Amino acid sequence: MIKGLSTAGLGQVKNLEELIILASENGFGSVDTSGQDLRNFVEEKGLDNAKAFLKEHKVAIGSIGLPLEWRQSEEQFKEGLSTLLDDAKIAAEFGCTSCCTYVLPATDYNAAHFMALATKRLRLCAQILKEYGLNLGLEFVGPHHLRTAWKNPFIWEMKDTLDWIDAIGEPNVGLLLDSYHWYTISGTIDDLFALRPEQITHVHLNDAKDVPVEEVLDNDRLYPGEGVIDLAGFLKALNQIGYKGSVTQEILTKEPLTESAKLLAEKSGKAYKKVYAVAELE
Amino acid sequence: MIKGLSTAGLGQVKNLEELIILASENGFGSVDTSGQDLRNFVEEKGLDNAKAFLKEHKVAIGSIGLPLEWRQSEEQFKEGLSTLLDDAKIAAEFGCTSCCTYVLPATDYNAAHFMALATKRLRLCAQILKEYGLNLGLEFVGPHHLRTAWKNPFIWEMKDTLDWIDAIGEPNVGLLLDSYHWYTISGTIDDLFALRPEQITHVHLNDAKDVPVEEVLDNDRLYPGEGVIDLAGFLKALNQIGYKGSVTQEILTKEPLTESAKLLAEKSGKAYKKVYAVAELE
Amino acid sequence: MIKGLSTAGLGQVKNLEELIILASENGFGSVDTSGQDLRNFVEEKGLDNAKAFLKEHKVAIGSIGLPLEWRQSEEQFKEGLSTLLDDAKIAAEFGCTSCCTYVLPATDYNAAHFMALATKRLRLCAQILKEYGLNLGLEFVGPHHLRTAWKNPFIWEMKDTLDWIDAIGEPNVGLLLDSYHWYTISGTIDDLFALRPEQITHVHLNDAKDVPVEEVLDNDRLYPGEGVIDLAGFLKALNQIGYKGSVTQEILTKEPLTESAKLLAEKSGKAYKKVYAVAELE
Amino acid sequence: MIKGLSTAGLGQVKNLEELIILASENGFGSVDTSGQDLRNFVEEKGLDNAKAFLKEHKVAIGSIGLPLEWRQSEEQFKEGLSTLLDDAKIAAEFGCTSCCTYVLPATDYNAAHFMALATKRLRLCAQILKEYGLNLGLEFVGPHHLRTAWKNPFIWEMKDTLDWIDAIGEPNVGLLLDSYHWYTISGTIDDLFALRPEQITHVHLNDAKDVPVEEVLDNDRLYPGEGVIDLAGFLKALNQIGYKGSVTQEILTKEPLTESAKLLAEKSGKAYKKVYAVAELE
């Protein structure tokens, strides 16, 4: 399983190039980014140099974010399709096979109707991504406070998300499995053992404070090993079922982090080393 | 558009044979039934005689009901699949191209999760039906009292049902459009003109009492022409957009009807003649 | 059924604006064009004026051509997807609901493998078009000489094309039915009566010379009424099954036509009047 | 990877019970069978005892054969759907997740049309199997003599089969990868490394005689290790990419084998031990 870095948890990172360097210097093998940042990176360096830069630094592109708005109007959704095409194309150039989006656990829309619309829209996204060899990862979002942050409950359980993936019905749709959300839905190690590796498109690794699980806030995350989540068990289980993709840090915080990206990346690298060691993965 | 008869509104009808005779005697060109009743009919008469009987009486099979339980557990759903196969097969033998189910406007399940499950299940039903040349009709159910009869709102609007049909994504899924439900969602004639005929799998024709639309009860229906629904406008619009299928009576009542099926079928026949005449369809 | 005009059979037509004027002056209600020509038209006139121009001239956009290459490599196919998005968008702006491509009856590829690739590719096209309310029309191509123009036979029969449409499996895929190809596959009026209108995305109207059907050449077409095809029967049948879309002329000739577009459009208009009159459609 | 046994290569095996015993006694962890044999097994023993019997013998059901005819007429295909439902149900009872069929490399039908029909039919099979948690495995068939055994070439390459699986478009369709066919298409170890484990539904392990690859006959197979195929490389590659399913022997021979099933199963067990050892898998 590849250690992955994103800008979330690194404070201010200038650009993708800096993120790649920080990843490389601290033992990470992949970075998460966006299609736009990839295009910027290519514009600055040229495509061949950009690829060479990643290769030299032994860093892969772990995942890009789904660049369009599938949660609002049809018009907004359609507006984003050409960007999706562009992002899929640039991601495929870099051998990236994962494109992810999160699923809020509540909605102001009629939940059933929104589920129908979202199913239709994400199916089209999956079909376009498939043409470029990318998978679509859906991240269930567990924190209790978000379940009531909008009028109507949507879905947040892993098994419900898997049912939704079945309803979408495309071969290249899977979970973005975040240890933080898995913790907030009181997920178990056995739940992980019940997964097949191809059901997991991407993984996030974060830790949670020692407060009652109902009070865990989405934007109050800790670095791996700083909190109470059984990350060693989490990693062991994923490894054992055969997951081989990236496991990416995504530390969302209430306030912007003020330490330098360099320091925070070092902190992240050490945190990863520690939990991987406890999980006997290195 | 073919005038259609079902047992709903005829009191006690012995069997499919009697329903066919009643339809034939009162100007109806089709009957709605079930796969089970079709099989009983064939068992009694033999397949060739059964077909000949319909031909002699100039009555077609308008639609059969979807025979399985898609609203409960996966187990129950799977239990019904072999009956679905059998029903599709016998319906196809009789040239029937429509199989319908109703969609309750509320559910005790998490509405979004149930929508995902229902999408997956009805897609499989549609795929099996397609193999036999049948379409799947989804009937939105509008009466206000049912919208709160279970914990969570599901869908009841025609446009939301069309969005759901898009989400199911199979070519052979359309609306079962009931004048009664169209009335209870305050549907307009323009809503009908916006439909393409292939979006309509089947039509029900019923009338409603002169009470505020919010108080209209699902099981308190009137025969066509007895109530306040603009059935002439409804029929004209459907005819004009090119719908050519059955328009079937389905009078649900609080108490069982006590008059003879013969009398009630005559009443139905006259009711249909009247509204078709007002709609200038004959 | 709307009389439709394309540039094929009009010699030199300057641009879409001229085509619209020629259509309007000669009794046509729609024109076939391309996404690129629509964009050029909008660039010159502005979107609102372009729409107004069509409205004033009582001419609709009948169909656009599928703008991408689905018959060669994966790379070429993917190259065209962003143009497809753009074309779908501009076509939808003009209320156009049809996008068509032709299917050659032979291929230099392994026919089975190419069918698998083409199925996958056209499904994605259909899915993208669906998002914009467009249907995808597949034109089977019948002339005998083309069936052996490449190494391996592909498909050219109407029923095989319908089977393929089933295999593609999307709700918005249908036939582009050209009277010329229907004639060259020895299609019958009964074959047309067996169609449902939603199976027909678009129609072409052309006539054939009085030579043995095996010798009819694809690029040797006559104006409607000049040849031996039973176009009255063709039109009557389509009208009777409820087809309401465009019926567009597409006269392919060996040599470029040298008469003025004005004269040729008049000729076309008269030809259409004549065959519509024989078909008792006006 | 689980060593799997089928009756092919064992001469006369009385029933599934005997096959399970033979598997168990000779180091195999799974058996391939049919839905019908599973039902017979359950009829004799009862469901609970049947399951207990497998558990005691530490043998799983590796795969069942697709029980219907998808290569002939629509009627024959539809005839088989209820058996498919029954087989999927009984297979799911035993935790079996694989159902396989072979794909002949040539056909007497028009190859493109047959590909369209087969795509449609196998999609429906996949959808039904998915409901029961089963995957559909498609076995490409490589021997050169079969490529011309019918009028028109179909497909036999692994990559073409993967393209076909994309065209079918369901998440639960993959390869049945037979070392024998991989050898006859001159497949490489790198071809195997290019696979993701979820693309492989099932594996067959057989060996080939030392004759020119063009002359290898489909029904002239050897036990693993007796021939010239690099089975160690084959197994190593599959293990390395993460395939964890069954690897089942299927020795097809010109003449019925005359030795006892007991002796042949011992021979098979030793053959497997040998090639697994060379592959450093045990």
Side-chain angles (χ1 to χ4, degrees):
Chain A
M1 296 190 297
I2 303 157
K3 293 175 186 167
L5 202 58
S6 74
T7 57
L10 297 194
Q12 291 290 18
V13 179
K14 208 168 57 190
N15 54 22
L16 180 53
E17 180 170 345
E18 190 188 356
L19 181 61
I20 294 165
I21 293 168
L22 290 171
S24 175
E25 289 176 348
N26 292 286
F28 292 89
S30 73
V31 293
D32 281 12
T33 184
S34 68
Q36 185 57 55
D37 281 352
L38 277 174
R39 277 190 298 277
N40 293 344
F41 184 51
V42 167
E43 251 172 53
E44 282 165 29
K45 287 194 132 39
L47 182 59
D48 289 344
N49 285 340
K51 288 184 186 177
F53 189 85
L54 280 158
K55 204 172 169 185
E56 279 163 35
H57 288 79
K58 295 183 184 165
V59 170
I61 303 300
S63 185
I64 60 166
L66 186 72
L68 51 65
E69 181 50 88
W70 57 270
R71 303 180 193 84
Q72 306 292 332
S73 73
E74 275 295 293
E75 285 317 306
Q76 286 171 279
F77 174 66
K78 281 188 283 197
E79 280 305 314
L81 286 173
S82 65
T83 305
L84 178 63
L85 263 184
D86 292 344
D87 286 11
K89 192 176 171 178
I90 192 75
E93 278 286 0
F94 285 94
C96 170
T97 61
S98 165
C99 176
C100 293
T101 191
Y102 58 89
V103 179
L104 292 174
T107 174
D108 283 338
Y109 295 105
N110 169 299
H113 182 221
F114 178 55
M115 175 52 92
L117 289 175
T119 300
K120 178 187 75 84
R121 291 171 188 167
L122 292 181
R123 185 183 301 140
L124 180 56
C125 294
Q127 291 160 340
I128 288 172
L129 290 168
K130 186 168 54 175
E131 187 62 29
Y132 290 88
L134 276 88
N135 298 309
L136 174 61
L138 303 185
E139 182 177 31
F140 58 92
V141 169
H144 292 238
H145 67 105
L146 290 178
R147 302 179 191 180
T148 51
W150 296 271
K151 277 186 216 162
N152 303 304
F154 197 60
I155 62 172
W156 55 81
E157 294 288 347
M158 185 163 80
K159 67 179 176 43
D160 294 359
T161 311
L162 289 170
D163 284 334
W164 187 21
I165 289 168
D166 275 354
I168 294 172
E170 295 296 318
N172 62 328
V173 186
L175 296 172
L176 163 45
L177 176 58
D178 187 321
S179 61
Y180 201 77
H181 299 308
W182 169 74
Y183 173 72
T184 58
I185 62 164
S186 305
T188 67
I189 297 292
D190 278 348
D191 293 341
L192 303 177
F193 278 124
L195 293 172
R196 298 185 308 278
E198 70 267 22
Q199 291 180 300
I200 308 172
T201 298
H202 195 51
V203 173
H204 281 168
L205 195 74
N206 300 295
D207 216 334
K209 290 192 175 162
D210 188 10
V211 297
V213 70
E214 296 79 10
E215 295 171 20
V216 170
L217 297 176
D218 191 46
N219 64 350
D220 195 20
R221 306 185 184 185
L222 301 178
Y223 292 78
E226 290 185 351
V228 297
I229 305 182
D230 177 13
L231 294 182
F234 180 82
L235 289 171
K236 265 187 189 170
L238 293 185
N239 183 59
Q240 201 161 325
I241 64 168
Y243 176 72
K244 294 178 195 294
S246 288
V247 175
T248 301
Q249 170 180 283
E250 191 201 38
I251 311 294
L252 305 178
T253 54
K254 289 181 196 172
E255 303 297 330
L257 298 169
T258 51
E259 292 164 276
S260 74
K262 190 174 162 54
L263 276 178
L264 291 167
E266 281 174 21
K267 179 177 176 181
S268 299
K270 285 177 192 162
Y272 263 69
K273 281 213 179 74
K274 195 172 119 189
V275 293
Y276 265 60
V278 179
E280 294 166 358
L281 288 172
E282 290 203 336
Chain B
M1 296 189 297
I2 303 158
K3 294 174 185 169
L5 203 58
S6 75
T7 56
L10 297 193
Q12 290 291 17
V13 179
K14 211 168 55 190
N15 54 22
L16 180 53
E17 179 169 348
E18 191 188 356
L19 181 62
I20 294 165
I21 293 169
L22 290 170
S24 174
E25 287 176 349
N26 293 286
F28 291 90
S30 74
V31 294
D32 282 12
T33 184
S34 68
Q36 185 57 56
D37 281 353
L38 276 174
R39 277 191 297 276
N40 292 345
F41 184 50
V42 167
E43 251 174 51
E44 281 165 28
K45 288 194 129 42
L47 182 59
D48 289 345
N49 285 340
K51 288 184 186 177
F53 188 84
L54 279 159
K55 203 171 173 186
E56 278 164 33
H57 288 81
K58 295 181 183 167
V59 170
I61 303 300
S63 185
I64 60 166
L66 187 71
L68 51 66
E69 181 51 86
W70 56 270
R71 302 180 194 84
Q72 306 292 332
S73 72
E74 275 295 294
E75 285 316 306
Q76 285 171 280
F77 174 66
K78 282 189 280 197
E79 280 304 315
L81 285 172
S82 65
T83 305
L84 179 63
L85 262 185
D86 292 346
D87 285 12
K89 192 176 172 178
I90 191 77
E93 277 285 359
F94 285 95
C96 171
T97 60
S98 166
C99 176
C100 293
T101 192
Y102 58 88
V103 179
L104 293 174
T107 174
D108 283 338
Y109 293 105
N110 170 299
H113 182 222
F114 178 55
M115 175 53 92
L117 290 176
T119 299
K120 179 187 75 87
R121 291 172 187 166
L122 292 181
R123 184 181 302 140
L124 180 56
C125 293
Q127 291 159 340
I128 289 172
L129 290 169
K130 186 168 54 174
E131 187 61 30
Y132 290 88
L134 276 87
N135 298 308
L136 175 61
L138 302 186
E139 183 177 29
F140 58 92
V141 168
H144 292 237
H145 66 106
L146 291 177
R147 302 179 191 180
T148 51
W150 295 271
K151 277 185 217 162
N152 303 305
F154 197 60
I155 62 170
W156 54 82
E157 293 289 345
M158 185 162 81
K159 66 179 177 43
D160 294 359
T161 311
L162 289 169
D163 284 335
W164 188 20
I165 289 168
D166 274 354
I168 295 173
E170 295 295 318
N172 63 328
V173 185
L175 296 172
L176 163 44
L177 177 57
D178 187 320
S179 60
Y180 201 77
H181 299 308
W182 169 74
Y183 173 71
T184 58
I185 63 163
S186 305
T188 68
I189 297 293
D190 278 348
D191 293 340
L192 303 178
F193 277 124
L195 294 172
R196 298 185 309 277
E198 70 267 22
Q199 291 181 299
I200 309 173
T201 298
H202 195 50
V203 172
H204 282 168
L205 196 74
N206 300 295
D207 218 333
K209 288 190 176 164
D210 188 8
V211 296
V213 70
E214 296 79 12
E215 296 171 20
V216 170
L217 297 176
D218 190 45
N219 65 348
D220 195 22
R221 306 185 185 186
L222 301 178
Y223 292 79
E226 290 183 352
V228 298
I229 305 181
D230 177 13
L231 294 181
F234 180 83
L235 290 170
K236 264 187 187 170
L238 292 185
N239 183 59
Q240 202 161 323
I241 63 168
Y243 176 71
K244 293 177 194 296
S246 288
V247 175
T248 302
Q249 171 183 280
E250 191 201 37
I251 312 294
L252 304 179
T253 54
K254 290 180 196 173
E255 303 297 328
L257 299 170
T258 52
E259 292 164 276
S260 74
K262 190 173 161 57
L263 276 178
L264 291 167
E266 281 174 22
K267 181 178 175 181
S268 299
K270 285 177 190 161
Y272 263 69
K273 282 213 178 72
K274 198 172 117 189
V275 295
Y276 265 61
V278 179
E280 295 168 355
L281 287 173
E282 289 203 335
Chain C
M1 296 190 297
I2 303 158
K3 293 174 185 167
L5 202 57
S6 75
T7 56
L10 298 193
Q12 290 290 18
V13 179
K14 210 168 52 190
N15 55 21
L16 180 53
E17 178 169 348
E18 191 189 356
L19 181 62
I20 294 164
I21 293 168
L22 290 171
S24 175
E25 289 176 348
N26 292 286
F28 291 90
S30 73
V31 293
D32 282 13
T33 184
S34 67
Q36 185 56 56
D37 282 352
L38 276 174
R39 277 190 297 276
N40 292 345
F41 184 51
V42 167
E43 252 173 51
E44 282 165 28
K45 288 195 131 38
L47 182 58
D48 289 345
N49 285 339
K51 288 184 186 177
F53 188 84
L54 280 159
K55 202 171 172 186
E56 279 163 33
H57 287 81
K58 295 182 183 166
V59 170
I61 303 300
S63 185
I64 60 166
L66 187 71
L68 52 66
E69 182 50 86
W70 57 270
R71 302 180 194 85
Q72 306 293 332
S73 72
E74 275 296 294
E75 285 318 305
Q76 285 171 280
F77 174 66
K78 281 188 283 197
E79 281 303 315
L81 286 172
S82 66
T83 306
L84 178 63
L85 262 184
D86 292 344
D87 286 12
K89 192 175 172 179
I90 191 76
E93 277 287 359
F94 285 96
C96 171
T97 61
S98 166
C99 176
C100 293
T101 191
Y102 58 89
V103 179
L104 293 174
T107 174
D108 283 338
Y109 294 105
N110 170 300
H113 182 221
F114 177 56
M115 174 53 92
L117 289 175
T119 299
K120 179 187 73 87
R121 292 172 188 167
L122 292 180
R123 185 182 302 138
L124 180 56
C125 293
Q127 290 158 342
I128 288 172
L129 289 169
K130 186 168 55 175
E131 188 60 31
Y132 290 88
L134 277 87
N135 299 308
L136 174 61
L138 303 185
E139 183 177 28
F140 58 92
V141 169
H144 291 236
H145 66 105
L146 290 178
R147 302 180 192 179
T148 51
W150 296 270
K151 277 185 216 161
N152 303 305
F154 198 61
I155 63 171
W156 55 81
E157 293 288 345
M158 184 162 82
K159 66 178 177 43
D160 294 359
T161 311
L162 289 169
D163 284 335
W164 188 21
I165 289 168
D166 275 355
I168 295 172
E170 295 296 317
N172 62 328
V173 186
L175 296 172
L176 162 44
L177 177 59
D178 186 320
S179 60
Y180 201 77
H181 298 308
W182 169 74
Y183 173 73
T184 57
I185 63 163
S186 304
T188 68
I189 297 292
D190 278 349
D191 292 341
L192 303 177
F193 278 123
L195 294 171
R196 298 185 309 278
E198 70 268 22
Q199 290 180 300
I200 308 173
T201 298
H202 195 50
V203 172
H204 282 168
L205 195 73
N206 300 295
D207 217 333
K209 289 191 176 163
D210 187 9
V211 296
V213 70
E214 296 80 9
E215 296 172 18
V216 170
L217 298 175
D218 191 45
N219 65 347
D220 195 21
R221 305 183 185 187
L222 302 177
Y223 292 78
E226 290 184 352
V228 296
I229 305 181
D230 177 12
L231 293 182
F234 180 83
L235 289 170
K236 265 187 186 170
L238 293 185
N239 184 59
Q240 201 161 323
I241 64 168
Y243 176 71
K244 293 178 196 294
S246 288
V247 174
T248 301
Q249 170 181 284
E250 191 201 38
I251 312 295
L252 304 179
T253 54
K254 289 181 198 174
E255 304 296 330
L257 298 169
T258 51
E259 293 165 276
S260 74
K262 189 173 161 57
L263 276 178
L264 291 167
E266 281 174 22
K267 182 178 174 181
S268 299
K270 285 176 190 162
Y272 263 70
K273 281 214 179 73
K274 200 171 115 189
V275 296
Y276 265 62
V278 179
E280 295 169 354
L281 287 174
E282 289 203 336
Chain D
M1 297 189 297
I2 303 157
K3 293 175 186 168
L5 202 58
S6 74
T7 57
L10 297 194
Q12 290 290 18
V13 178
K14 210 168 56 190
N15 55 22
L16 180 53
E17 179 169 345
E18 191 188 356
L19 181 62
I20 294 164
I21 294 168
L22 290 169
S24 175
E25 289 175 348
N26 292 286
F28 291 89
S30 74
V31 294
D32 281 14
T33 183
S34 68
Q36 185 57 55
D37 281 352
L38 276 174
R39 278 191 297 276
N40 292 345
F41 183 51
V42 167
E43 251 173 51
E44 281 165 28
K45 288 193 130 42
L47 182 59
D48 288 345
N49 285 339
K51 289 184 185 177
F53 188 85
L54 279 158
K55 203 171 172 184
E56 279 163 35
H57 289 80
K58 295 183 183 166
V59 170
I61 303 300
S63 185
I64 60 166
L66 186 72
L68 51 66
E69 181 51 86
W70 57 271
R71 301 180 195 86
Q72 305 292 333
S73 72
E74 275 294 295
E75 286 317 306
Q76 285 171 280
F77 174 66
K78 282 190 281 196
E79 280 304 315
L81 286 172
S82 65
T83 305
L84 178 64
L85 262 184
D86 291 345
D87 286 12
K89 192 176 172 178
I90 192 76
E93 278 285 0
F94 285 95
C96 171
T97 60
S98 166
C99 176
C100 293
T101 191
Y102 59 88
V103 179
L104 293 174
T107 173
D108 283 337
Y109 294 105
N110 170 300
H113 182 222
F114 177 55
M115 175 52 92
L117 290 175
T119 300
K120 179 187 74 86
R121 291 173 188 165
L122 292 180
R123 185 183 301 140
L124 180 55
C125 293
Q127 291 159 340
I128 288 172
L129 289 169
K130 186 168 53 175
E131 187 62 30
Y132 290 89
L134 277 86
N135 298 309
L136 174 61
L138 303 185
E139 182 177 30
F140 57 93
V141 169
H144 291 237
H145 66 105
L146 290 177
R147 301 179 190 179
T148 52
W150 296 270
K151 277 185 216 162
N152 303 304
F154 197 59
I155 63 171
W156 55 82
E157 293 288 347
M158 184 162 81
K159 68 180 175 43
D160 294 358
T161 311
L162 289 169
D163 284 334
W164 188 20
I165 288 167
D166 274 354
I168 294 172
E170 296 295 319
N172 63 328
V173 186
L175 296 172
L176 162 44
L177 177 59
D178 187 321
S179 60
Y180 201 76
H181 299 308
W182 169 74
Y183 173 71
T184 58
I185 63 164
S186 305
T188 67
I189 297 292
D190 278 348
D191 293 341
L192 303 178
F193 277 122
L195 294 172
R196 299 185 307 276
E198 69 267 23
Q199 291 181 299
I200 308 173
T201 298
H202 195 51
V203 172
H204 282 169
L205 195 74
N206 301 294
D207 216 334
K209 290 191 175 163
D210 187 9
V211 297
V213 71
E214 296 79 11
E215 295 171 21
V216 170
L217 297 176
D218 190 45
N219 64 348
D220 196 21
R221 305 184 185 186
L222 302 177
Y223 291 78
E226 291 185 350
V228 296
I229 305 180
D230 177 13
L231 294 182
F234 179 83
L235 289 170
K236 265 187 188 171
L238 293 185
N239 184 59
Q240 201 162 325
I241 64 168
Y243 177 71
K244 294 178 194 293
S246 289
V247 175
T248 302
Q249 169 181 282
E250 191 202 37
I251 312 294
L252 304 179
T253 53
K254 289 181 195 171
E255 304 297 329
L257 298 170
T258 52
E259 292 164 278
S260 74
K262 189 171 162 55
L263 276 177
L264 292 167
E266 282 174 20
K267 180 178 176 180
S268 300
K270 285 175 192 163
Y272 264 70
K273 281 214 180 74
K274 199 172 116 189
V275 294
Y276 266 62
V278 179
E280 295 167 358
L281 288 172
E282 288 200 339

